[in-house]
Amino acid sequence: MSPTTPELDLFRTDLRARSAYAEGAGIFRILPGAVAVPASVEEVRRVVDWARREGRPLVPRGAGSSIAGGAVGSGIVVDLRERMPRTLEVDPGNSSAITSANVTHGELNERAAQHGLRLPPDPSSGAWATLGGMVSCNAAGARSVKYGSVRGWVEGLELVTADGETGWLWRGGRRGDGLQALERLAVGAAPAIRSAAELVRRRFPAVRKNASGYALDHWLGSGDDLDLLVGAEGTLALVTTVAWRLDPVPPARASMLVALGKLESLEEAVRALTALDPSAVELLDRTFLDLITLAATSVDLPEVPPGCQAILLVEFEGENGAQVRGRTGDAVRALGSLALDVVTALTPADERRLWTLRHAASPILASLPPDRRSMQVIEDGCVPLAALGEYVRSIREAASRESLTVVIFGHAGDGNVHVNVLPDLGRPDWAERVGRLYESVQASALDLGGTLSGEHGDGRLRSGWLVRQYGAEIVDLFRQVKTAFDPHGILNPGVKLDDGAPPLSRLKVGRDAAPIPDDIAQALGQIERSGGYALSRLEIADRHQDSATP
Ligand SMILES: Cc1cc2nc3c(=O)[nH]c(=O)nc-3n(C[C@H](O)[C@H](O)[C@H](O)COP(=O)(O)OP(=O)(O)OC[C@H]3O[C@@H](n4cnc5c(N)ncnc54)[C@H](O)[C@@H]3O)c2cc1C
């Protein structure tokens, strides 16, 4: 980086700052070339102008909790959370909100709740995930089975484009302030995508959620350019402000735990439950239950009957208690003999106890010994509901072939399954085994008509698979979209579109992990173990300055 650039005041190039931003959630540790921490839209524009002039890649970043590696990279990390101004305005009359990208989902919902409103998609990372990061990953959560992913709730986006222009994009065909990027899209990629509409229809998977590739299918359906930005993982523009549609918080809720004795019953049970319009149908596989049993946790967990192969946690929301109680009764009848056992929770206290089971995994995974680091390599496949049982079975079988422990859970109602792999890092061949598991399970998801990512995005982990998922012609359309928005390739290269880097390289574990100061490695490990993504990375960098490595 040239020391004469007038933008130097915006960058940190010292090893401690670079190290503090070298990791996010997920498997990677990649030291960035520098860190930029802008404090205004104007400063974001200066950083972008500098990057374009110097031909340097930028890695936009919110809380750094995305799992596929979109928020880490060897370019200049642009922290859009730390110092940017904060806006959080709820308009109860219009059930809408305007927030800066650095506000968290939790903060928005806390404010919206004062007016009986909420943003319904509910990632379990909502306490720290920034709304800019959620838009950029098309985040979702347990309630997405009823309310969809974030995409459906975004009304407008304020962007800084790769040309250094700022402007708004809105739903409903309103064009975005004459931005050059949109002009290029309109004359280049847009006609090509329209004439490939039939191919898009055939090649995009028939799944309930998809965060892989650019959403050409949604763009064709809505005609709204912002549909390409939702889920773009910082590769098309930087998001600075978001306009949201909100929804009333339903007055009543009830939950139930359904224990299944056979994995074969999963599809039918999920089908029976989704027909009743639930607000959540979450899967805890046998592998997940085994982990909890082993951990002998002191938490007061609901009892799981012996022989249980999988649990479904189900929630119904409605207008009043009678309605949601009725729904749980309907569910019990619809499940019939598919369920080994059913426990209903009709009071908030009972509900909390049931859902404790879902939340118990994170602290247990966090407390594993250092040679059992939990790795997320096949963690977000989403398949048609009819293939869910088959997909879970294929993960279990592939893991057993490689003698790897896996923990499987996720959003059954959407066919979206998360997997944590717990390799024994003491074994010399752990990396090969994990690599084979990755290949095998990704292939299963595609063979079953699924997508590799339901809600976390492609990042650096899955970008190399887009050709296999969509075919070369669709990926060529993705490249045309990318070129329209980012002709100089400065926005998050290697994320979404492959840059040839092996997906399971540059790991935070193992012998080849990039060296960073010990105290920072420990602090980042602690963030991962405790879900401490809200912590300022600059604060970590600036701790113990006296002993800082130059
Ligand atoms: C324990 C745990 C649980 C999780 N649970 C869920 C879940 O239930 N559902 C779910 O969907 N996800 C979940 N996630 C993943 C993650 O929290 C989400 O992807 C979240 O949306 C990321 O937000 P972030 O602010 O951390 O973004 P980051 O990780 O910082 O960034 C995510 C991506 O967006 C880009 N980006 C960030 N901000 C901007 C911006 N302002 N403009 C342009 N690009 C930007 C980055 O370049 C990157 O590609 C979980 C993660 C963890 C660790």
Side-chain angles (χ1 to χ4, degrees), residues 435-449:
R436 288 193 295 267
L437 179 75
Y438 166 85
E439 289 282 329
S440 163
V441 175
Q442 305 256 89
S444 295
L446 297 187
D447 290 347
L448 292 167

Side-chain angles (χ1 to χ4, degrees), residues 102-123:
N102 56 352
V103 166
T104 66
H105 179 259
E107 288 168 329
L108 169 57
N109 269 2
E110 196 180 317
R111 181 73 61 84
Q114 294 169 8
H115 307 283
L117 295 169
R118 67 178 179 181
L119 174 64
D122 55 340

Side-chain angles (χ1 to χ4, degrees), residues 402-416:
E402 299 299 341
S403 309
L404 286 165
T405 303
V406 290
V407 180
I408 306 171
F409 58 102
H411 312 300
D414 280 328
N416 182 203

Side-chain angles (χ1 to χ4, degrees), residues 159-233:
L159 308 173
V160 174
T161 68
D163 304 299
E165 296 181 323
T166 59
W168 276 88
L169 280 187
W170 293 96
R171 280 221 177 275
R174 280 158 68 190
R175 298 305 308 277
D177 296 348
L179 297 171
Q180 288 179 59
L182 299 186
E183 300 306 326
R184 286 191 297 265
L185 181 75
V187 296
I193 302 169
R194 277 194 210 100
S195 59
E198 174 53 24
L199 183 69
V200 170
R201 199 189 55 73
R202 270 191 285 117
R203 291 305 308 232
F204 272 65
V207 288
R208 294 173 58 97
K209 286 192 318 195
N210 186 8
S212 184
Y214 297 120
L216 306 185
D217 53 345
H218 285 276
W219 180 84
L220 279 167
S222 69
D224 292 335
D225 292 339
L226 69 69
D227 269 322
L228 297 173
L229 272 300
V230 175
E233 298 181 68

Side-chain angles (χ1 to χ4, degrees), residues 60 62-66 70 123-125 130 134 136 139-140 233-234 239 455-456 492:
S65 72
S66 58
S124 40
S125 52
T130 66
M134 283 176 54
S136 302
E233 298 181 68
V239 176
E455 58 181 25
H456 294 164
N492 235 353

Side-chain angles (χ1 to χ4, degrees), residues 412-458:
D414 280 328
N416 182 203
V417 175
H418 301 315
V419 183
N420 283 59
V421 187
L422 310 179
D424 176 354
L425 300 182
R427 284 180 79 147
D429 60 348
W430 69 264
E432 288 79 24
R433 287 173 187 276
V434 170
R436 288 193 295 267
L437 179 75
Y438 166 85
E439 289 282 329
S440 163
V441 175
Q442 305 256 89
S444 295
L446 297 187
D447 290 347
L448 292 167
T451 174
L452 298 178
S453 174
E455 58 181 25
H456 294 164
D458 300 304

Side-chain angles (χ1 to χ4, degrees), residues 362-373:
S362 292
I364 294 169
L365 288 168
S367 61
L368 293 169
D371 61 350
R372 276 278 168 165
R373 278 288 281 271

